[in-house]
Amino acid sequence: MKLSRRAFTQCFAATTGLVALPSFARSELSLGPATLTTVSDGRLVLPGQLIFEPMPRDALPPILAEFGLSPDRLTPECNLALFRDGTHTVLFDVGSGPDFMPTAGSVVDSLNALGLAPEDVTHVIFTHAHPDHIWGLLDDFDEPLFSEATYMMGRREWDYWWNPNTVNTIGEARAAFAVGAKRRMQMIEDSVVLFDDGDEVLPGISALFTPGHTPGHMGFEIRQGSESALVVGDAIGNHHVAFRKPNWESGSDQDGPLAVRSRTMLLDRLAAEQMTVVGFHLPDGGIGRVEAVDDGFRFVR
């Protein structure tokens, strides 16, 4: 589906008059001697059609009713995963910063609530380069906010947004995404560490290629002894239709069919292995488990 500029304009217009929500650590999980915490970057305010437009008109309303959702407006949380093992303090993505939506961009306040400053972060690992995941990279002086961190991104994701043709081929509605990503990536060009599918990017953290939402989207399996969790970014983008009807294409994905394959692979594995899932836009802090049910899957806190 080709999203219109109007749809994205409505997305921003919907936030008029809203202020950022309180910031705090939302959920925490122990993984052996390490901890995995989600910290809030606020939430987005999106027009429903951004996700629902390509979905079956007759089958969608019962799912919306089940979850108490409006077809017109969605307000997903933004939950950044924070991994600490005593040596590394790893932040997965950096949030929106101040320039995307007034309801998002509050990760620094959330880190402060944990007694952490940006310079305490040793590594930033990106799932992908959409605005709510990378636009928070720069501070007020256009310098990398997490000044002591090593920045890491999947090679395919980096190459896609770095390509000068992307801004012309991504579609008019997402052209600003490409410009914004490239500007921020230029600030870490000389120091970024690139990795590929299956690489152990840090001890106990392995990359898992989950394309579709973006061409190079990555998830990450975190394993400490017998305990593990899977940071899925936006490969599982919500707790409602993505779980109930994982085979439905979503308007938020750049490649709908490929995103379906990644999403179903993740849900099948998470349900079978009962591995903890950490989702950027999943509710109540984004940490939970996946349960297989007759009509698909269920997110369980």
Side-chain angles (χ1 to χ4, degrees):
M1 183 194 72
K2 298 295 185 181
L3 293 171
S4 67
R5 177 178 289 274
R6 180 181 179 187
F8 277 82
T9 301
Q10 288 174 339
C11 169
F12 286 94
T15 68
T16 301
L18 297 176
V19 296
L21 299 178
S23 305
F24 46 91
R26 297 297 305 273
S27 189
E28 187 166 285
L29 171 73
S30 294
L31 292 173
T35 58
L36 185 62
T37 309
T38 52
V39 292
S40 176
D41 194 48
R43 64 176 65 238
L44 303 182
V45 181
L46 304 172
Q49 67 173 338
L50 190 67
I51 292 176
F52 300 141
E53 187 171 345
M55 297 178 180
R57 292 287 188 267
D58 57 341
L60 180 61
I63 297 175
L64 299 184
E66 177 185 354
F67 289 91
L69 299 173
S70 165
D72 301 317
R73 192 175 94 149
L74 296 170
T75 57
E77 296 178 13
C78 298
N79 298 302
L80 282 69
L82 176 72
F83 174 79
R84 290 171 288 176
D85 65 2
T87 301
H88 306 99
T89 298
V90 183
L91 190 63
F92 292 85
D93 299 323
V94 292
S96 297
D99 299 327
F100 188 50
M101 287 189 186
T103 52
S106 52
V107 66
V108 172
D109 292 336
S110 294
L111 289 171
N112 287 340
L114 291 174
L116 294 174
E119 54 267 28
D120 294 323
V121 174
T122 63
H123 296 81
V124 168
I125 304 176
F126 291 104
T127 62
H128 65 296
H130 274 169
D132 51 329
H133 296 257
I134 197 173
W135 280 22
L137 189 148
L138 301 179
D139 63 17
D140 292 339
F141 301 97
D142 271 356
E143 296 292 335
L145 174 62
F146 301 92
S147 57
E148 302 302 312
T150 297
Y151 289 88
M152 311 178 79
M153 186 181 289
R155 190 180 314 275
R156 297 191 202 191
E157 186 74 356
W158 179 276
D159 288 347
Y160 174 74
W161 297 100
W162 195 257
N163 188 332
N165 293 324
T166 294
V167 69
N168 299 316
T169 58
I170 195 173
E172 182 184 10
R174 286 188 168 102
F177 290 12
V179 173
K182 182 72 172 286
R183 184 169 79 86
R184 288 155 178 85
M185 290 162 62
Q186 286 172 333
M187 302 304 298
I188 59 173
E189 175 189 6
D190 295 334
S191 59
V192 69
V193 175
L194 302 180
F195 55 84
D196 299 298
D197 180 32
D199 286 354
E200 186 176 45
V201 297
L202 286 172
I205 302 177
S206 298
L208 177 64
F209 189 43
T210 53
H213 184 68
T214 62
H217 189 286
M218 285 283 187
F220 299 93
E221 181 178 346
I222 303 175
R223 187 168 292 277
Q224 298 286 305
S226 62
E227 299 179 325
S228 62
L230 196 55
V231 176
V232 299
D234 284 5
I236 304 175
N238 59 71
H239 68 294
H240 37 85
V241 290
F243 278 75
R244 284 290 190 267
K245 301 294 181 182
N247 290 321
W248 286 2
E249 293 183 23
S250 171
S252 64
D253 295 326
Q254 290 184 220
D255 185 328
L258 185 56
V260 165
R261 291 197 290 273
S262 291
R263 183 162 55 248
T264 54
M265 176 274 292
L266 287 169
L267 289 167
D268 285 339
R269 180 181 175 191
L270 287 161
E273 299 182 19
Q274 279 299 286
M275 186 187 302
T276 298
V277 61
V278 185
F280 193 88
H281 293 304
L282 298 183
D284 301 321
I287 295 180
R289 292 190 182 273
V290 176
E291 180 180 291
V293 294
D294 290 341
D295 55 348
F297 299 89
R298 178 183 294 122
F299 176 64
V300 181
R301 286 282 293 131

